[in-house]
Amino acid sequence: MKFSENWLRTLVDTKLSSEELAHLLTMAGLEVESLESVAPAFNNVVVAEVLEIVKHPNADKLNVCQVNVGEAQPLTIVCGAANVAVGVKVPCARIGAVLPGDLVIKQAKVRGIESFGMLCSDKELGLAVESQGLWLLPGDAPVGKALREYLDLDDNIFTLKLTPNRSDCSGMVGVAREVAALTGGALKQLDIPTQPVALSEQLPVKVADAVACPLYCGRLVRNVNAAALTPAWMLRRLERSGLRAINAVVDITNYVMLEMGQPMHAFDVAKLSGGIVVRKALKGESLTLLNDQTVALDEEVLVIADEKRTLAIAGVMGGQGSGVGTATQHVFLESAFFVPDSIAGKARRFGLATDSSFRFERGVDFSATRQALERATQLLLEICGGSAGAISEVRGQLPARLPIRLRRARVARVLGIPLDDIQITTLLRRLQLGCEAKGDYYLVTPPSFRFDLSIEEDLIEELARLFGYDNIPAQVPQAALIMLPNSESQRPLARIRQMLVARDYQEIVSYAFVEEQVERELCGNDQPVALQNPIASNLAVMRSSLIGGLVGALRFNLNRKQTRVRLFEAGACFAKVNNEYVQKQRLSGLAYGAAQPEQWGAAAQPVDFYDVKADVEAFFAPQVLRFVPAIHPALHPGRSAQIYCGEQTVGWIGELHPHWQQQYDLVQPAVWFEIELDALTQAHVPRMSEINKFLPARRDLAVLVDEAVAVQALLDAMRQVSDHYVVEVALFDLYRGKGLGEGKKSLAFRVLLQDTQKTLTDIEIDQCIARLVAVLQQHGAQLRV
């Protein structure tokens, strides 16, 4: 909303400067988006009248003018403007004047003739971009008067960025009321007398939808001169508020809207058929608006009509067929209150944005509806003449203004400052709120122009605004600091992230929403958790695994010429189990490209299953993991496994399936893992054990087994029958090839034995080894010698 500062100061007394006023309004919630001067700086420019013109003796295109600037003797000024003429009134910059661009006017000799000033165009004064000659002023402009004073150029334009809840400040009276409340200055009430009734006739008004329009006021005014000139003061205020002049009648309705915040409309009575009807549009009706746009209406649109046709969209814009022109003689002025819900969204529906809809959508002051009509009638009779009839009014059930309970203790608790009874009541009454003390609380009744006040917190906010946010002291919060428990059995996620970064992984954060196709293909999930209102068609379901985001990030990096990519993500995954939604936290990683960064000390080698397996084992250390071959829809069937920690399944690991590798344009296989975060955050608490002072004994067992026998099965079997002094059983060699039968492989296990109390004897060692050999033979192994 734009308005003139000088106009505002005619309605409220304040000693604040322009900048101080802008800061005050901004801090009170009425953000001043810009503060601009109406005119650039210039001085010593007056209204002048050209008395005589003589051709310059030494120049064909110059004239020597005698100019009256309000002094005893006229000035001689040389002028080259084509539109200079005897009797015109123009701006005259006198000697010593400083014009925009720091142009100083001096006495000068022009082709041999002294010139004592300069006649100006509006471009030379910085008031126009282009000009066709001198700026011709109105004929009644007072000669000798300073131009800045005559045109009220010592003014600023405020632009407010109103929030939707402050519709009460959509008119000058509302802004002035706000300034008066903030500063304590005197508010100057508009002098709006009740207009005399000179006509006995009234235009009948019928409201068919009293819920959408609980108050409609109208007045017939005959014999107006719509071609009358709009006063210069009104034109300036309209222009500085961003509205263009149309004709005197329309300018008056626009002016009242800007002044009081009440949109109005004027109908040409000669174009009406019968009385006014406020109703919902009929199916199939259409209307050509004042902007020449034709719109199709339906039963959801509130309209103003006569007995034969639709005249206007209520609260939005009038129709072309009933608009007022300069030939109009009889007008019907409309001032109404429309319920905001009945107007909201209608302008946007038709691609419009009007000043009326802006105000009606947010709510206007229904107690000023009739007063605005009186104000418009007053200005219309003063400017255009005519005779006014009585006001036709239809009143229904207007919004009730219910009192709000405001507790003193609640004010102190929310604001953090003590406000006594006098301060609270003074601030509330400055806002024109009805306030009645009731023991330890107040009953506060909001006025009709404050639709935004409905609960106790609204009133507390008003107290804070008026008291001044700058005046509320900043208090350092005080709280008892307690050392939180940090269990050794829990590993924080931040440490896990550090472990991944240390192993050359980089973290990503992806959407928890994924494409349904990704869930089906990579996760084998035919019934993902679907979103009711997805933000995009490719983000329609919740992820049940982190693999989709990692593959997407991998492709993004490969498209940008990254050849080695190692990524990880920690986040929530979602599923529906037994008609209940389940959310689990998981950690997932993806490795692609070379196993090591490019270097001179080692040959380039692509990352494989075992590289990533080593990373996963390092994350869980010192716990020992088992990797059991299993099939996953996203992974290579011969190079994938489930991860077990003890007897618990904690995740997956494997190479991406060749089909998906081809589909996602991956030149090399990518290795992926995903772990349940709960299992990873459970740390192994170290326990003290006695340092062994005795030497260990080592025995190697070489066995021949079928190719189908899993090494892990043999290791598990040996560990189950081992004595307490077997400290390690591990595979250290694998051989396939010459000298072995078809379908056979040779395995070599290292067995370390050690006791903390003594050195083991050969008999004890042999007995232990015998038990291990026996269990190996039970699994089909043959001891090699």
Side-chain angles (χ1 to χ4, degrees), residues 33-76:
E33 202 168 19
S34 65
L35 176 61
E36 302 172 344
S37 298
V38 168
F42 62 82
N43 58 32
N44 207 10
V45 179
V46 300
V47 177
E49 181 180 11
V50 178
L51 302 177
E52 179 183 336
I53 298 177
V54 178
K55 279 291 183 183
H56 195 293
N58 301 321
D60 295 336
K61 295 184 179 181
L62 297 179
N63 295 302
V64 180
C65 306
Q66 298 299 313
V67 180
N68 179 15
V69 294
E71 296 183 348
Q73 297 296 325
L75 300 180
T76 300

Side-chain angles (χ1 to χ4, degrees), residues 373-396:
L373 184 58
E374 293 282 11
R375 176 61 168 162
T377 306
Q378 174 190 13
L379 294 172
L380 185 65
L381 297 180
E382 290 177 359
I383 297 170
C384 302
S387 302
I391 292 178
S392 302
E393 179 181 299
V394 178
R395 182 183 292 263

